[in-house]
Coordinates of all heavy atoms in Angstrom, one line a residue:
M1 N -1.8 10.8 2.3 CA -2.9 10.0 1.9 C -4.2 10.4 2.6 O -5.2 9.7 2.4 CB -2.6 8.5 2.1 CG -1.5 8.1 1.2 SD -1.1 6.3 1.2 CE -1.6 5.7 2.7
Q2 N -4.2 11.4 3.4 CA -5.4 11.8 4.0 C -6.0 13.0 3.3 O -5.3 13.8 2.8 CB -5.2 12.1 5.5 CG -4.8 10.9 6.3 CD -4.5 11.3 7.7 OE1 -3.7 12.2 8.0 NE2 -5.2 10.7 8.6
L3 N -7.3 13.0 3.2 CA -8.0 14.1 2.6 C -8.1 15.2 3.7 O -8.5 15.1 4.8 CB -9.4 13.7 2.2 CG -10.2 14.7 1.4 CD1 -9.4 15.0 0.1 CD2 -11.5 14.1 1.0
D4 N -7.6 16.4 3.3 CA -7.6 17.5 4.2 C -7.9 18.8 3.4 O -7.4 19.0 2.3 CB -6.2 17.6 4.8 CG -6.0 18.7 5.8 OD1 -7.0 19.3 6.3 OD2 -4.9 19.1 6.1
K5 N -8.7 19.7 4.0 CA -9.0 20.9 3.3 C -7.8 21.8 3.1 O -7.8 22.6 2.2 CB -10.1 21.7 4.1 CG -11.4 21.0 4.1 CD -12.4 21.9 4.9 CE -13.8 21.1 5.0 NZ -14.7 21.9 5.8
G6 N -6.8 21.6 3.9 CA -5.6 22.5 3.8 C -4.5 22.0 2.9 O -3.4 22.4 3.0
L7 N -4.8 21.2 1.9 CA -3.8 20.7 1.1 C -3.2 21.8 0.1 O -4.0 22.5 -0.4 CB -4.3 19.5 0.2 CG -4.6 18.2 0.9 CD1 -5.2 17.2 -0.1 CD2 -3.3 17.6 1.5
N8 N -1.9 21.8 0.0 CA -1.4 22.7 -1.0 C -1.2 21.9 -2.3 O -1.3 20.7 -2.3 CB 0.0 23.3 -0.5 CG 1.1 22.3 -0.3 OD1 1.3 21.5 -1.2 ND2 1.8 22.4 0.8
P9 N -0.9 22.6 -3.4 CA -0.8 21.8 -4.7 C 0.2 20.7 -4.7 O 0.0 19.7 -5.3 CB -0.4 22.9 -5.7 CG -0.9 24.2 -5.1 CD -0.8 24.0 -3.6
D10 N 1.3 20.8 -4.0 CA 2.3 19.7 -3.9 C 1.8 18.5 -3.2 O 2.3 17.4 -3.4 CB 3.6 20.2 -3.2 CG 4.3 21.2 -4.1 OD1 4.1 21.3 -5.3 OD2 5.0 22.1 -3.5
E11 N 0.8 18.6 -2.3 CA 0.3 17.5 -1.5 C -0.8 16.8 -2.2 O -1.2 15.7 -1.7 CB -0.1 18.0 -0.1 CG 1.0 18.5 0.7 CD 0.6 19.2 2.0 OE1 -0.4 20.0 1.9 OE2 1.1 18.9 3.0
T12 N -1.4 17.4 -3.2 CA -2.6 16.8 -3.8 C -2.3 15.4 -4.4 O -3.2 14.6 -4.5 CB -3.2 17.7 -4.9 OG1 -2.2 18.0 -5.9 CG2 -3.8 18.9 -4.3
S13 N -1.1 15.1 -4.8 CA -0.7 13.8 -5.3 C -0.8 12.8 -4.3 O -0.8 11.6 -4.6 CB 0.7 13.9 -6.0 OG 1.6 14.2 -5.0
L14 N -0.8 13.1 -3.0 CA -0.8 12.2 -1.9 C -2.2 11.7 -1.5 O -2.4 10.8 -0.8 CB -0.1 12.7 -0.7 CG 1.3 13.1 -0.8 CD1 1.9 13.7 0.4 CD2 2.2 11.9 -1.3
V15 N -3.2 12.4 -2.1 CA -4.6 12.0 -1.8 C -5.0 10.8 -2.6 O -4.8 10.8 -3.8 CB -5.6 13.2 -2.1 CG1 -7.0 12.8 -1.9 CG2 -5.2 14.4 -1.2
M16 N -5.5 9.8 -2.0 CA -5.8 8.6 -2.7 C -7.3 8.3 -2.5 O -7.8 8.5 -1.4 CB -5.0 7.4 -2.3 CG -3.6 7.5 -2.6 SD -2.8 5.9 -2.3 CE -1.3 6.1 -3.1
H17 N -7.9 7.7 -3.5 CA -9.3 7.2 -3.4 C -9.3 6.1 -2.4 O -8.3 5.3 -2.3 CB -9.8 6.8 -4.8 CG -10.1 8.0 -5.7 ND1 -11.2 8.7 -5.6 CD2 -9.3 8.4 -6.7 CE1 -11.1 9.7 -6.5 NE2 -10.0 9.5 -7.2
R18 N -10.4 5.9 -1.8 CA -10.5 4.9 -0.8 C -10.3 3.5 -1.4 O -9.7 2.6 -0.7 CB -11.9 5.0 -0.2 CG -12.1 4.4 1.2 CD -13.4 4.7 1.8 NE -13.4 4.1 3.1 CZ -14.1 4.5 4.1 NH1 -14.9 5.6 4.0 NH2 -14.1 3.8 5.2
S19 N -10.8 3.3 -2.6 CA -10.6 2.0 -3.3 C -9.1 1.7 -3.5 O -8.7 0.6 -3.4 CB -11.4 2.0 -4.6 OG -10.9 2.9 -5.5
R20 N -8.3 2.7 -3.8 CA -6.9 2.5 -4.0 C -6.2 2.2 -2.6 O -5.3 1.3 -2.6 CB -6.2 3.8 -4.6 CG -4.8 3.6 -4.9 CD -4.6 2.5 -5.9 NE -3.2 2.3 -6.2 CZ -2.5 1.1 -6.1 NH1 -3.2 0.0 -5.7 NH2 -1.3 1.0 -6.4
V21 N -6.6 2.8 -1.6 CA -6.1 2.5 -0.2 C -6.4 1.1 0.1 O -5.6 0.3 0.7 CB -6.6 3.5 0.8 CG1 -6.1 3.1 2.2 CG2 -6.1 4.9 0.5
K22 N -7.7 0.6 -0.2 CA -8.0 -0.8 0.0 C -7.1 -1.7 -0.7 O -6.7 -2.7 -0.2 CB -9.5 -1.0 -0.4 CG -10.5 -0.5 0.6 CD -11.9 -0.9 0.1 CE -13.0 -0.4 1.1 NZ -14.3 -0.8 0.7
D23 N -6.8 -1.4 -2.0 CA -5.9 -2.2 -2.7 C -4.5 -2.3 -2.1 O -3.9 -3.4 -2.0 CB -5.7 -1.7 -4.2 CG -6.9 -1.8 -5.0 OD1 -7.8 -2.7 -4.7 OD2 -7.0 -1.1 -6.1
I24 N -4.0 -1.2 -1.6 CA -2.8 -1.2 -0.9 C -2.8 -2.0 0.4 O -1.9 -2.8 0.7 CB -2.3 0.3 -0.6 CG1 -2.0 1.0 -1.9 CG2 -1.1 0.3 0.4 CD1 -1.9 2.5 -1.8
Q25 N -3.9 -1.9 1.1 CA -4.1 -2.6 2.4 C -4.1 -4.1 2.0 O -3.5 -4.9 2.7 CB -5.4 -2.2 3.1 CG -5.3 -0.9 3.7 CD -6.6 -0.4 4.3 OE1 -7.7 -0.7 3.7 NE2 -6.6 0.4 5.3
R26 N -4.8 -4.5 1.0 CA -4.8 -5.9 0.6 C -3.4 -6.4 0.2 O -3.0 -7.5 0.6 CB -5.8 -6.1 -0.6 CG -7.2 -6.1 -0.3 CD -8.1 -6.5 -1.5 NE -9.4 -6.1 -1.2 CZ -10.0 -4.9 -1.7 NH1 -9.3 -4.1 -2.5 NH2 -11.3 -4.6 -1.4
D27 N -2.7 -5.6 -0.6 CA -1.3 -6.0 -1.0 C -0.4 -6.1 0.2 O 0.3 -7.1 0.3 CB -0.7 -4.9 -1.9 CG -1.5 -4.8 -3.2 OD1 -2.2 -5.7 -3.6 OD2 -1.3 -3.8 -3.9
L28 N -0.5 -5.2 1.2 CA 0.3 -5.3 2.4 C -0.1 -6.5 3.2 O 0.8 -7.1 3.9 CB 0.2 -4.0 3.2 CG 0.8 -2.7 2.6 CD1 0.4 -1.5 3.3 CD2 2.3 -2.9 2.6
T29 N -1.4 -6.8 3.2 CA -1.8 -8.0 4.0 C -1.3 -9.3 3.3 O -0.7 -10.2 4.0 CB -3.4 -8.1 4.0 OG1 -3.9 -7.0 4.7 CG2 -3.9 -9.4 4.6
T30 N -1.3 -9.4 2.0 CA -0.8 -10.5 1.2 C 0.7 -10.7 1.5 O 1.2 -11.8 1.6 CB -1.1 -10.3 -0.3 OG1 -2.4 -10.2 -0.5 CG2 -0.4 -11.4 -1.1
L31 N 1.4 -9.6 1.6 CA 2.8 -9.6 1.8 C 3.2 -9.7 3.3 O 4.4 -9.8 3.6 CB 3.5 -8.3 1.2 CG 3.3 -8.2 -0.3 CD1 3.7 -6.9 -0.8 CD2 4.1 -9.3 -1.0
G32 N 2.2 -9.7 4.2 CA 2.5 -9.9 5.6 C 2.8 -8.7 6.4 O 3.3 -8.8 7.6
Y33 N 2.5 -7.5 5.9 CA 2.8 -6.3 6.6 C 1.6 -5.7 7.3 O 1.8 -4.8 8.2 CB 3.3 -5.2 5.6 CG 4.7 -5.6 5.1 CD1 4.9 -6.3 4.0 CD2 5.8 -5.2 5.9 CE1 6.2 -6.6 3.5 CE2 7.1 -5.5 5.4 CZ 7.3 -6.2 4.3 OH 8.5 -6.5 3.8
Y34 N 0.4 -6.0 6.9 CA -0.8 -5.4 7.5 C -1.8 -6.5 8.0 O -2.0 -7.5 7.3 CB -1.5 -4.5 6.4 CG -2.7 -3.8 6.8 CD1 -2.6 -2.7 7.7 CD2 -4.0 -4.1 6.4 CE1 -3.7 -1.9 8.0 CE2 -5.1 -3.4 6.8 CZ -5.0 -2.3 7.6 OH -6.1 -1.6 8.0
S35 N -2.4 -6.2 9.1 CA -3.3 -7.2 9.7 C -4.6 -6.5 10.1 O -5.4 -7.2 10.8 CB -2.7 -8.0 10.8 OG -2.4 -7.1 11.9
G36 N -4.8 -5.3 9.7 CA -6.0 -4.6 10.1 C -7.2 -4.8 9.2 O -7.1 -5.6 8.3
R37 N -8.2 -4.0 9.4 CA -9.4 -4.1 8.5 C -9.1 -3.5 7.2 O -8.4 -2.5 7.1 CB -10.5 -3.3 9.2 CG -11.6 -4.1 9.8 CD -12.8 -3.3 10.3 NE -13.4 -2.6 9.3 CZ -14.3 -1.6 9.4 NH1 -14.5 -1.2 10.7 NH2 -14.9 -1.0 8.4
I38 N -9.6 -4.1 6.1 CA -9.5 -3.5 4.8 C -10.6 -2.5 4.6 O -11.7 -2.9 4.2 CB -9.6 -4.6 3.7 CG1 -8.6 -5.8 4.0 CG2 -9.4 -4.0 2.3 CD1 -7.1 -5.4 3.9
D39 N -10.4 -1.3 5.0 CA -11.4 -0.3 5.1 C -11.2 0.9 4.2 O -12.0 1.8 4.1 CB -11.7 0.2 6.5 CG -10.4 0.8 7.2 OD1 -9.4 1.0 6.4 OD2 -10.5 1.0 8.4
G40 N -10.0 1.0 3.5 CA -9.8 2.1 2.7 C -9.4 3.4 3.4 O -9.3 4.4 2.7
I41 N -9.1 3.3 4.7 CA -8.7 4.5 5.4 C -7.2 4.4 5.8 O -6.8 3.4 6.4 CB -9.5 4.6 6.7 CG1 -11.0 4.7 6.3 CG2 -9.1 5.8 7.6 CD1 -12.0 4.7 7.5
A42 N -6.5 5.4 5.3 CA -5.0 5.4 5.6 C -4.7 5.9 6.9 O -4.1 7.0 7.1 CB -4.3 6.2 4.5
A43 N -5.1 5.1 8.0 CA -4.9 5.6 9.3 C -3.5 5.0 9.8 O -2.7 4.5 9.1 CB -6.0 5.1 10.2
D44 N -3.3 5.1 11.1 CA -2.0 4.7 11.7 C -1.6 3.3 11.4 O -0.4 3.1 11.0 CB -2.1 4.8 13.3 CG -2.2 6.3 13.7 OD1 -1.9 7.2 12.9 OD2 -2.6 6.5 14.9
K45 N -2.4 2.3 11.4 CA -2.0 0.9 11.1 C -1.6 0.8 9.7 O -0.6 0.1 9.4 CB -3.2 0.0 11.4 CG -3.3 -0.6 12.7 CD -4.3 -1.7 12.8 CE -4.1 -2.5 14.0 NZ -5.0 -3.7 14.1
T46 N -2.3 1.4 8.8 CA -1.9 1.4 7.3 C -0.6 2.1 7.1 O 0.3 1.5 6.5 CB -3.0 2.0 6.5 OG1 -4.2 1.3 6.7 CG2 -2.6 1.9 5.0
R47 N -0.4 3.3 7.7 CA 0.9 4.0 7.5 C 2.0 3.2 8.1 O 3.1 3.2 7.6 CB 0.7 5.4 8.0 CG -0.2 6.3 7.2 CD -0.1 7.8 7.5 NE -0.4 8.0 8.9 CZ -1.6 8.3 9.4 NH1 -2.6 8.3 8.6 NH2 -1.7 8.5 10.7
S48 N 1.8 2.6 9.3 CA 2.8 1.8 9.9 C 3.2 0.6 9.1 O 4.4 0.3 8.9 CB 2.3 1.4 11.3 OG 3.3 0.6 11.9
A49 N 2.3 0.0 8.5 CA 2.6 -1.2 7.6 C 3.3 -0.7 6.3 O 4.3 -1.4 5.9 CB 1.3 -1.8 7.1
I50 N 3.0 0.5 5.8 CA 3.7 1.0 4.7 C 5.1 1.3 5.1 O 6.1 1.0 4.3 CB 3.0 2.3 4.1 CG1 1.6 1.9 3.5 CG2 3.9 3.0 3.1 CD1 0.8 3.1 3.1
R51 N 5.3 1.9 6.2 CA 6.7 2.2 6.7 C 7.5 1.0 6.9 O 8.7 0.9 6.4 CB 6.6 3.0 8.0 CG 6.5 4.5 7.9 CD 6.7 5.2 9.2 NE 5.7 4.9 10.2 CZ 4.5 5.5 10.3 NH1 4.2 6.4 9.4 NH2 3.7 5.2 11.2
R52 N 6.9 -0.1 7.4 CA 7.7 -1.4 7.6 C 8.1 -1.9 6.2 O 9.2 -2.4 6.0 CB 6.9 -2.4 8.4 CG 6.8 -2.1 9.9 CD 6.3 -3.2 10.7 NE 5.0 -3.8 10.2 CZ 3.8 -3.2 10.5 NH1 3.8 -2.2 11.3 NH2 2.7 -3.8 10.1
F53 N 7.1 -1.9 5.3 CA 7.4 -2.3 3.9 C 8.5 -1.5 3.3 O 9.4 -2.0 2.7 CB 6.1 -2.3 3.0 CG 6.4 -2.6 1.6 CD1 6.5 -3.9 1.2 CD2 6.6 -1.6 0.7 CE1 6.7 -4.3 -0.1 CE2 6.9 -1.9 -0.7 CZ 6.9 -3.2 -1.1
Q54 N 8.4 -0.2 3.5 CA 9.5 0.7 2.9 C 10.8 0.4 3.5 O 11.8 0.4 2.7 CB 9.1 2.2 3.2 CG 7.9 2.6 2.3 CD 7.3 4.0 2.8 OE1 7.3 4.3 4.0 NE2 6.8 4.7 1.8
V55 N 10.9 0.2 4.8 CA 12.2 -0.1 5.4 C 12.8 -1.4 4.8 O 14.0 -1.4 4.5 CB 12.1 -0.2 7.0 CG1 13.3 -0.8 7.6 CG2 11.8 1.2 7.6
D56 N 12.0 -2.4 4.7 CA 12.4 -3.7 4.2 C 12.8 -3.6 2.8 O 13.5 -4.5 2.3 CB 11.3 -4.8 4.4 CG 11.2 -5.2 5.9 OD1 12.0 -4.8 6.7 OD2 10.2 -5.9 6.1
N57 N 12.4 -2.6 2.0 CA 12.6 -2.5 0.6 C 13.6 -1.4 0.3 O 13.6 -1.0 -0.9 CB 11.3 -2.5 -0.2 CG 10.6 -3.8 -0.2 OD1 10.9 -4.7 -1.0 ND2 9.8 -4.0 0.8
G58 N 14.2 -0.8 1.3 CA 15.2 0.2 1.0 C 14.7 1.5 0.5 O 15.4 2.3 -0.1
L59 N 13.4 1.8 0.9 CA 12.8 3.1 0.5 C 12.8 4.1 1.7 O 13.0 3.6 2.8 CB 11.4 2.8 0.1 CG 11.2 1.9 -1.1 CD1 9.8 1.4 -1.3 CD2 11.7 2.5 -2.4
V60 N 12.5 5.3 1.4 CA 12.4 6.3 2.5 C 11.1 5.9 3.2 O 10.0 5.8 2.7 CB 12.2 7.7 1.9 CG1 11.9 8.7 3.0 CG2 13.5 8.1 1.2
A61 N 11.2 5.7 4.5 CA 10.1 5.2 5.4 C 9.3 6.4 5.9 O 9.4 6.8 7.0 CB 10.7 4.4 6.5
D62 N 8.4 6.9 5.0 CA 7.6 8.1 5.3 C 6.1 7.7 5.6 O 5.3 8.5 6.0 CB 7.7 9.2 4.3 CG 7.3 8.7 2.9 OD1 6.8 7.6 2.8 OD2 7.4 9.5 1.9
G63 N 5.8 6.4 5.3 CA 4.4 5.9 5.5 C 3.5 6.4 4.5 O 2.3 6.1 4.6
L64 N 4.0 6.9 3.4 CA 3.1 7.4 2.3 C 3.4 6.4 1.1 O 4.5 6.1 0.8 CB 3.4 8.8 1.9 CG 3.3 9.9 3.0 CD1 3.8 11.2 2.5 CD2 1.8 9.9 3.4
A65 N 2.3 6.1 0.4 CA 2.4 5.2 -0.7 C 2.6 6.0 -2.0 O 1.7 6.2 -2.8 CB 1.2 4.3 -0.8
G66 N 3.8 6.5 -2.2 CA 4.1 7.3 -3.4 C 4.5 6.4 -4.5 O 4.4 5.1 -4.4
P67 N 4.9 6.9 -5.7 CA 5.2 6.1 -6.8 C 6.2 5.0 -6.6 O 6.1 3.9 -7.1 CB 5.7 7.1 -7.9 CG 5.2 8.5 -7.4 CD 5.0 8.4 -5.9
M68 N 7.3 5.3 -5.9 CA 8.3 4.3 -5.7 C 7.8 3.2 -4.8 O 8.2 2.0 -5.0 CB 9.6 5.0 -5.1 CG 10.3 5.9 -6.0 SD 11.7 6.7 -5.3 CE 12.9 5.4 -5.3
T69 N 7.0 3.5 -3.8 CA 6.5 2.5 -2.9 C 5.5 1.6 -3.7 O 5.5 0.4 -3.6 CB 5.8 3.1 -1.7 OG1 6.8 3.9 -1.0 CG2 5.2 2.1 -0.8
L70 N 4.7 2.2 -4.5 CA 3.7 1.5 -5.3 C 4.4 0.5 -6.3 O 4.0 -0.6 -6.4 CB 2.7 2.4 -6.0 CG 1.8 3.2 -5.1 CD1 1.0 4.3 -5.9 CD2 0.9 2.4 -4.3
E71 N 5.5 1.0 -6.9 CA 6.2 0.2 -7.8 C 6.9 -1.0 -7.0 O 6.8 -2.1 -7.5 CB 7.3 1.0 -8.5 CG 8.1 0.2 -9.5 CD 9.2 1.1 -10.2 OE1 9.0 2.3 -10.3 OE2 10.1 0.5 -10.7
A72 N 7.4 -0.7 -5.8 CA 8.0 -1.8 -5.0 C 6.9 -2.8 -4.6 O 7.2 -4.0 -4.5 CB 8.7 -1.2 -3.8
L73 N 5.7 -2.3 -4.3 CA 4.6 -3.2 -3.9 C 4.3 -4.2 -5.1 O 4.1 -5.4 -4.9 CB 3.4 -2.4 -3.5 CG 3.2 -2.0 -2.1 CD1 2.1 -1.1 -1.9 CD2 3.1 -3.2 -1.2
D74 N 4.2 -3.6 -6.3 CA 3.9 -4.4 -7.4 C 5.0 -5.4 -7.7 O 4.7 -6.6 -8.0 CB 3.8 -3.5 -8.7 CG 2.5 -2.7 -8.7 OD1 1.5 -3.1 -8.0 OD2 2.4 -1.7 -9.5
K75 N 6.3 -5.0 -7.5 CA 7.4 -6.0 -7.7 C 7.3 -7.1 -6.7 O 7.5 -8.3 -7.0 CB 8.7 -5.3 -7.7 CG 9.0 -4.5 -8.9 CD 10.3 -3.8 -8.8 CE 10.6 -2.9 -10.1 NZ 11.9 -2.2 -10.0
A76 N 7.0 -6.7 -5.4 CA 7.0 -7.7 -4.3 C 5.9 -8.7 -4.6 O 6.0 -9.9 -4.3 CB 6.8 -7.0 -3.0
K77 N 4.7 -8.2 -5.1 CA 3.6 -9.1 -5.4 C 4.0 -10.1 -6.5 O 3.6 -11.3 -6.4 CB 2.4 -8.3 -5.8 CG 1.7 -7.6 -4.7 CD 0.4 -6.9 -5.1 CE 0.6 -6.0 -6.3 NZ -0.6 -5.4 -6.7
V78 N 4.7 -9.6 -7.5 CA 5.1 -10.5 -8.6 C 6.1 -11.6 -8.1 O 5.9 -12.8 -8.4 CB 5.7 -9.7 -9.8 CG1 6.4 -10.6 -10.8 CG2 4.7 -8.8 -10.4
I79 N 7.0 -11.2 -7.3 CA 8.0 -12.1 -6.7 C 7.2 -13.1 -5.9 O 7.5 -14.3 -6.0 CB 9.1 -11.4 -5.9 CG1 10.0 -10.6 -6.8 CG2 9.9 -12.4 -5.1 CD1 10.9 -9.6 -6.1
R80 N 6.3 -12.7 -5.0 CA 5.6 -13.6 -4.2 C 4.7 -14.6 -5.1 O 4.6 -15.8 -4.8 CB 4.7 -12.8 -3.2 CG 3.9 -13.7 -2.3 CD 3.2 -12.9 -1.2 NE 2.4 -13.7 -0.4 CZ 2.7 -14.2 0.8 NH1 3.9 -14.0 1.3 NH2 1.8 -14.9 1.5
H81 N 4.1 -14.0 -6.1 CA 3.3 -14.8 -7.0 C 4.2 -15.9 -7.6 O 3.7 -17.1 -7.7 CB 2.8 -13.9 -8.1 CG 2.0 -14.6 -9.2 ND1 0.8 -15.2 -9.0 CD2 2.4 -14.9 -10.5 CE1 0.4 -15.8 -10.1 NE2 1.3 -15.6 -11.0
H82 N 5.4 -15.6 -8.1 CA 6.2 -16.6 -8.7 C 6.8 -17.6 -7.7 O 7.1 -18.7 -8.1 CB 7.4 -15.9 -9.5 CG 6.9 -15.2 -10.7 ND1 6.3 -15.9 -11.8 CD2 6.8 -13.9 -11.1 CE1 5.9 -15.0 -12.7 NE2 6.2 -13.8 -12.3
T83 N 7.0 -17.2 -6.5 CA 7.6 -18.1 -5.5 C 6.6 -19.0 -4.8 O 6.9 -20.0 -4.3 CB 8.5 -17.4 -4.5 OG1 7.7 -16.4 -3.8 CG2 9.6 -16.7 -5.2
Q84 N 5.3 -18.4 -4.7 CA 4.3 -19.2 -3.9 C 3.1 -19.6 -4.7 O 2.2 -20.1 -4.2 CB 3.9 -18.4 -2.7 CG 5.1 -18.2 -1.7 CD 4.6 -17.5 -0.5 OE1 3.5 -17.3 -0.2 NE2 5.6 -17.3 0.4
G85 N 3.0 -19.2 -6.0 CA 1.9 -19.6 -6.8 C 0.8 -18.6 -6.8 O 0.8 -17.6 -6.2
D86 N -0.3 -19.0 -7.6 CA -1.4 -18.1 -7.8 C -2.1 -17.7 -6.5 O -2.7 -16.6 -6.4 CB -2.4 -18.8 -8.7 CG -1.9 -18.9 -10.1 OD1 -0.9 -18.1 -10.5 OD2 -2.3 -19.8 -10.9
T87 N -2.2 -18.6 -5.5 CA -2.9 -18.3 -4.3 C -2.3 -17.2 -3.5 O -2.9 -16.6 -2.6 CB -3.1 -19.5 -3.4 OG1 -1.8 -20.0 -3.1 CG2 -3.8 -20.6 -4.1
A88 N -1.0 -16.8 -3.7 CA -0.4 -15.8 -3.0 C -0.8 -14.4 -3.4 O -0.7 -13.4 -2.6 CB 1.2 -15.9 -3.1
V89 N -1.4 -14.2 -4.6 CA -1.8 -12.9 -5.0 C -3.3 -12.9 -5.0 O -4.0 -13.7 -5.6 CB -1.2 -12.6 -6.4 CG1 -1.7 -11.3 -6.9 CG2 0.3 -12.7 -6.4
K90 N -3.9 -11.9 -4.4 CA -5.3 -11.8 -4.2 C -5.9 -11.2 -5.5 O -5.4 -10.4 -6.2 CB -5.7 -10.9 -3.1 CG -5.3 -11.6 -1.8 CD -6.0 -10.8 -0.6 CE -5.5 -11.4 0.7 NZ -6.4 -12.5 1.1
T91 N -7.1 -11.7 -5.8 CA -7.8 -11.2 -7.0 C -8.1 -9.7 -6.9 O -8.4 -9.2 -5.8 CB -9.2 -11.9 -7.2 OG1 -8.9 -13.3 -7.2 CG2 -9.9 -11.5 -8.4
G92 N -8.0 -9.0 -8.0 CA -8.3 -7.5 -8.0 C -7.2 -6.6 -7.6 O -7.4 -5.4 -7.5
T93 N -6.0 -7.1 -7.4 CA -4.9 -6.3 -7.1 C -4.0 -5.8 -8.3 O -3.0 -5.2 -8.1 CB -4.0 -6.9 -6.0 OG1 -3.5 -8.2 -6.6 CG2 -4.7 -7.2 -4.7
G94 N -4.4 -6.2 -9.4 CA -3.7 -5.8 -10.6 C -2.7 -6.8 -11.2 O -2.2 -6.6 -12.2
I95 N -2.5 -7.9 -10.5 CA -1.6 -8.9 -10.9 C -2.4 -10.2 -11.3 O -3.2 -10.6 -10.5 CB -0.5 -9.3 -9.8 CG1 0.3 -8.0 -9.4 CG2 0.4 -10.4 -10.3 CD1 1.1 -7.5 -10.5
T96 N -2.2 -10.7 -12.4 CA -3.0 -11.9 -12.8 C -2.0 -13.1 -13.0 O -0.9 -12.9 -13.0 CB -3.7 -11.6 -14.2 OG1 -2.7 -11.3 -15.2 CG2 -4.7 -10.6 -14.0

């Protein structure tokens, strides 16, 4: 998820726009995994929160928000939304 001049073609799918990282940070905050600044930078705190989420959801804990992790985040938000109501899901995260 970090932008690096040395990316090979297989790693380009891991580069995310800052706005997408912010969305992930918000989602992780809503779900109780992240307590840092919502800054769009996939630094240590964000990757650590992703890893904790991955472990809790039976995913490979690599700290990268790949397709399976993103799908699990979406499912977790829906479950939280249904169990805790509209206030549990933040505006702008893709769940209405």
